[in-house]
Amino acid sequence: MIGGTVNVKNISKYFDSARVLNDISIEIKSGEFFSLLGPSGCGKTTLLRIIAGFEMPTSGDLLLDEESVLSKPPNQRHVNTIFQNYALFPHLSVFENVAFSLRLKKLDKKTIQNKVEEYVGLVQLQDHIGKYPAQLSGGQKQRVSIARALINEPRVLLLDEPLSALDAKLRHELLVELDRIHDIIGITFIYVTHDQEEAMSVSDRIAVMKDGVFLQIGTPFEIYESPSDLFVADFIGASNTIQGKVVEIYEKYARINTPELGEILVDLDKPLKAKDHVVVTLRPEKMHISKHCPSLDAPKVNCVSGTVEQMIYTGSHTRFVVKTDQGFEFKIFKQHAQYFTTEEPITWEDRVYIWWNADDSFIVEVKHP
Ligand SMILES: Nc1ncnc2c1ncn2[C@@H]1O[C@H](COP(=O)(O)OP(=O)(O)OP(=O)(O)O)[C@@H](O)[C@H]1O
Ligand SMILES: [Mg+2]
């Protein structure tokens, strides 16, 4: 199958006087796995409903495969939607749920049989084809709705938080499944979620939304490593945020003075001048923690000392909160690469050093004085 292109052009949407989408534009490529990620109420479902044809924008245009489709009803758009709550017919078997739209099209019996078997097989439910929705688990029900949406051979599949009703393990399983199905059928997926890990793990690109606008559109790597602002940095994974004033600029680094940590070196990833005010973020997994001061012969390493305030063991890593002597609370994630380690264990209230490479900081805001 061939994926459709989706071109959202300057779309705004008001409900009465409330503006829910504010002049947003985006071009989604054929076959892309594209995610809309943002907090509750930011307008994700509204945008999806506009693309599907269930809602009209107040202004702007929507092109599917280069053609404006605003005047077309949902069933003429080559788009299908999967909802969070499955929306299956309870009185119909898996087979009949999946066959439903083909029966409406009055296809012959043999064609229906073959196609339903093909799509039920695609979502790996062949052993459950005669069951009714009440006899299926949540994950199986969602597989039925995937098969039912795909059997219409849409060019674009819209998925509105399709996994949010499932528990964590099933959610992960079905996400891998969706990724596999996307690879096999090759159509465009637009996936709505407020779970950043979900979006990061499967998307080609992600649009981070807030209050009806896109704050950043990029690959998971771009959004994680180069967040456009503080909101994106915080929303996508954890971060430490430090404010400071530029003291001196070097070729690749800047020295900044911070009220909470004294002077530190940061990577010069944006043009800066002396006296600029900057906001810098640091990812907790890029920080190091130990009881002994590291050898600081490398000039671009920053090191501060503090006390362990919190320690949460998660199995794969430990999350520390360390309060520096000046009162700044640092989040640090320490990966457990080895079970037996010669390092001295760290625990609550220990005095520790934390250090990080200046290359691993990222400037998210610059204000010129
Ligand atoms: N039919 C409607 N009438 C009035 N207001 C609406 C309507 N639909 C949505 N809204 C409002 O628009 C805003 C965006 O809603 P939307 O459902 O698009 O958010 P969302 O990003 O999908 O949130 P969630 O993650 O909770 O699903 C909300 O403030 C919501 O109350
Ligand atoms: Mg929603």
Side-chain angles (χ1 to χ4, degrees):
M1 282 192 252
I2 301 170
T5 62
V6 179
N7 195 345
V8 172
K9 281 183 131 174
N10 304 101
I11 282 188
S12 291
K13 173 70 182 176
Y14 285 76
F15 287 112
D16 299 322
S17 62
R19 187 173 60 192
V20 171
L21 295 175
N22 183 7
D23 192 23
I24 57 171
S25 297
I26 184 158
E27 285 184 39
I28 299 172
K29 298 180 201 113
S30 162
E32 204 171 3
F33 198 130
F34 191 92
S35 292
L36 299 171
L37 176 66
S40 186
C42 71
K44 305 180 297 292
T45 296
T46 304
L47 177 57
L48 220 59
R49 287 173 55 80
I50 288 172
I51 296 172
F54 301 128
E55 201 78 69
M56 277 296 277
T58 310
S59 59
D61 201 359
L62 173 75
L63 313 187
L64 294 179
D65 289 325
E66 311 290 317
E67 184 198 352
S68 178
V69 291
L70 284 183
S71 56
K72 287 190 177 178
N75 60 2
Q76 286 175 23
R77 290 193 183 190
H78 304 295
V79 169
N80 257 289
T81 309
I82 292 178
F83 303 97
Q84 177 187 345
N85 59 3
Y86 322 125
L88 299 179
F89 299 114
H91 61 290
L92 296 182
S93 65
V94 169
F95 185 99
E96 288 302 333
N97 262 287
V98 177
F100 190 80
S101 60
L102 304 186
R103 296 227 188 275
L104 287 183
K105 288 181 194 158
K106 302 213 181 321
L107 299 188
D108 67 84
K109 218 174 150 193
K110 190 73 202 147
T111 309
I112 292 178
Q113 178 82 26
N114 289 344
K115 282 196 84 172
V116 171
E117 280 175 4
E118 177 189 343
Y119 282 90
V120 168
L122 178 71
V123 296
Q124 303 184 339
L125 280 184
Q126 49 277 57
D127 296 341
H128 305 275
I129 200 161
K131 286 188 181 169
Y132 288 82
Q135 299 169 305
L136 299 173
S137 72
Q140 289 167 339
K141 282 186 216 170
Q142 200 52 297
R143 285 170 195 255
V144 179
S145 54
I146 296 168
R148 194 181 52 176
L150 292 176
I151 206 163
N152 295 314
E153 301 188 349
R155 295 170 142 259
V156 180
L157 186 67
L158 307 176
L159 304 104
D160 194 356
E161 311 228 17
L163 313 182
S164 58
L166 306 172
D167 68 48
K169 190 158 176 288
L170 255 183
R171 216 160 47 223
H172 178 74
E173 259 177 52
L174 211 56
L175 189 65
V176 172
E177 185 70 12
L178 276 174
D179 200 22
R180 183 185 70 86
I181 291 170
H182 176 257
D183 286 348
I184 293 173
I185 60 172
I187 64 167
T188 310
F189 276 26
I190 306 181
Y191 185 84
V192 163
T193 180
H194 56 250
D195 184 318
Q196 54 102 7
E197 262 184 58
E198 239 174 68
M200 295 282 289
S201 57
V202 287
S203 313
D204 294 313
R205 283 190 304 158
I206 298 171
V208 182
M209 282 183 87
K210 187 191 173 205
D211 299 336
V213 295
F214 293 140
L215 295 181
Q216 187 170 8
I217 299 167
T219 63
F221 184 83
E222 284 163 353
I223 286 181
Y224 190 80
E225 297 295 342
S226 321
S228 61
D229 66 10
L230 208 50
F231 177 85
V232 177
D234 266 346
F235 195 72
I236 309 285
S239 61
N240 294 291
T241 306
I242 303 157
Q243 316 232 7
K245 194 169 159 186
V246 177
V247 179
E248 202 173 345
I249 312 268
Y250 307 101
E251 197 187 338
K252 287 188 176 149
Y253 303 98
R255 192 153 49 88
I256 66 168
N257 190 11
T258 73
E260 290 142 328
L261 303 173
E263 289 198 350
I264 59 170
L265 276 181
V266 300
D267 186 31
L268 199 57
D269 49 59
K270 294 199 170 60
L272 293 181
K273 292 195 303 290
K275 297 196 177 142
D276 282 349
H277 287 272
V278 292
V279 179
V280 177
T281 64
L282 272 169
R283 296 291 189 191
E285 75 278 10
K286 291 180 178 143
M287 322 232 2
H288 305 270
I289 178 168
S290 76
K291 280 193 168 173
H292 301 286
C293 193
S295 69
L296 294 178
D297 41 358
K300 40 180 201 172
V301 170
N302 295 292
C303 181
V304 294
S305 58
T307 308
V308 176
E309 288 260 301
Q310 241 189 60
M311 210 181 99
I312 299 169
Y313 176 78
T314 68
S316 64
H317 64 278
T318 297
R319 297 170 185 221
F320 292 97
V321 174
V322 172
K323 196 168 193 171
T324 66
D325 301 339
Q326 296 91 339
F328 184 81
E329 291 189 346
F330 260 121
K331 289 177 262 194
I332 301 149
F333 299 165
K334 187 175 165 65
Q335 198 72 25
H336 301 155
Q338 292 171 291
Y339 183 66
F340 292 110
T341 158
T342 49
E343 248 179 272
E344 236 185 297
I346 298 168
T347 188
W348 294 79
E349 298 188 2
D350 275 351
R351 290 286 300 163
V352 289
Y353 293 92
I354 46 186
W355 77 95
W356 67 96
N357 196 311
D359 293 325
D360 288 330
S361 59
F362 190 80
I363 299 168
V364 277
E365 270 176 42
V366 183
K367 276 199 201 105
H368 305 298

